[in-house]
Amino acid sequence: MPVSARAFIERALEHLPVLRRVGRRLTGSAAEADDLVQETLARALEQRGALRETERLKAWLLAVQRTVYLNSRRGLRPHLEVLEGGLGRALPPEPSADLEAELHARTLSAEMKAALDSLAPEWRDTLWLREVEELSYEEIAQVQGCPVGTVRSRLARARLAMLDFLEKEKVHGSL
Amino acid sequence: MEACSPQWQERLSAWFDGEVQAHEQQAVAHHLSRCAGCAREAARYASLRQALRAEGAAEPRVPPELAERVTRLAPRPRPFFPRRRLAAGLAAVLASVGVLWTSWPSGMNEALAMDLERHHLKAFSRVDPCEFESSDPAEVKAWVEREVGYPVDVPVVPGATLLGARRCRLHGKLSASLLYRHEEGKAMTLFLPLPGSAAAQEAARFAGDGPRCTQGPVGERICVLPSGGERAALAVSELEPAVLLAALARLSP
Ligand SMILES: [Zn+2]
């Protein structure tokens, strides 16, 4: 017997920040990320019976989010958004407080962003899930749908590439 | 294993993550105690981790609207009656007026039910639920017909205000939805899928001969009014099915 919808959503709310952070990396926009998060939780709610007791909710939700995202990209149902952005309607502007925080973050860490952007997307995601979201290798493998060995090698390579990039930037900066 | 080889880098990186076996753990720690190069490498991993976590912490906070949208996915608790008794009571009342009521799962196509509830909840979780805003049925009708390309009826519903309309997709097909708000502030969406479309067929099949209501998988109420052939209109809301049916009844046959 799965937990009640209410109880499930209450537990899931705790993971909104993670889903949103990762969603923003997947979609590249805050508004789309929010739609993705809502869609993810709607799917998760339906499928909550499939969550094993030993599984961490965070990793499971991230795996659901990835599936929802990929399906929406492939044009499969369910659609992420009714129609916005699809038929010539501009996305709603982001709230200004959000924008401010974002600008702040952007200037603070333009270098880190550039370094992350220089990585292959799978490497970048793997690194992010490990370092920021603190998922285990097994959880990352589940989220990304790849073997644990792949996670391991991606992380090693992503770290080296990031450090190389940042090092070079530093040299340029000081010249 | 030779230091600086890709295998060694991988091992060091996994060690740093605490993802190696106990014996490997010792071997790496032992190596680090004697090799300044690898110790420096591990320290670089640590500062990278720190920088990335700072990056994560600098992300904008979750807006309350999103938490609200997500919370609305769970059915509101109905505190006055135990759910089953309520459902049974409701079923009896509706049966007395010739309407079939079923709780979920009800045999309604699940993808369709989810689409309906999502569009409804998503629209009303926005500050501006409508794409086109007007309380004038003629204006709304003109906009909808231009956007979806088929004729629709925009009824006046007693006790409810017409807010406007949105386009949506049901079973992947462009479809019309009309948004209303009832006196107590409760939201209602009428869906008018293209006659003969997959969504209209599914809905008509579900309803059979008469109007039929069900609880959707997310907990909203969904009523279907078939109008012959492969035509049907649907209403979604947390309101009582009788209210939904009254609204659907305002559509011209
Ligand atoms: Zn060494």
Side-chain angles (χ1 to χ4, degrees), chain B residues 12-33:
Chain B
L12 187 61
S13 157
W15 170 84
F16 177 72
D17 287 324
E19 295 266 2
V20 291
Q21 308 281 340
H23 69 274
E24 262 187 305
Q25 160 90 32
Q26 280 173 6
V28 175
H30 182 66
H31 178 89
L32 287 179
S33 70

Side-chain angles (χ1 to χ4, degrees), chain A residues 20 24 27-36 94-95 98 102, chain B residues 60 66:
Chain A
R20 197 157 183 268
R24 284 160 63 88
T27 63
S29 111
E32 265 187 75
D34 288 356
D35 283 343
L36 174 61
E94 291 175 26
D98 195 27
E102 212 171 310
Chain B
L66 179 62

Side-chain angles (χ1 to χ4, degrees), chain B residues 3 31 35 38:
Chain B
H31 178 89
C35 173
C38 289

Side-chain angles (χ1 to χ4, degrees), chain B residues 9 13-15 27 29 38 56 78 94 104 124 139 156 158 161 165 173 187 214 223 229 232 234 237:
Chain B
Q9 295 283 8
S13 157
W15 170 84
C38 289
R78 303 209 160 93
L94 290 171
W104 191 261
F124 280 98
E139 272 181 28
V156 172
T161 310
K173 185 103 185 140
T214 175
C223 289
L234 305 99
S237 172

Side-chain angles (χ1 to χ4, degrees), chain B residues 90-102 210-214 222-225 241-242 245:
Chain B
L90 193 58
V93 169
L94 290 171
S96 70
V97 290
V99 175
L100 191 56
W101 161 263
T102 27
R212 186 170 174 194
C213 298
T214 175
I222 303 173
C223 289
V224 185
L225 182 67
L245 290 170

Side-chain angles (χ1 to χ4, degrees), chain B residues 150 173 193-202 204-205 228-232:
Chain B
Y150 59 88
K173 185 103 185 140
L194 173 69
S197 64
Q201 287 181 32
E202 286 283 2
R205 193 174 313 140
E230 294 171 335
R231 296 151 53 90

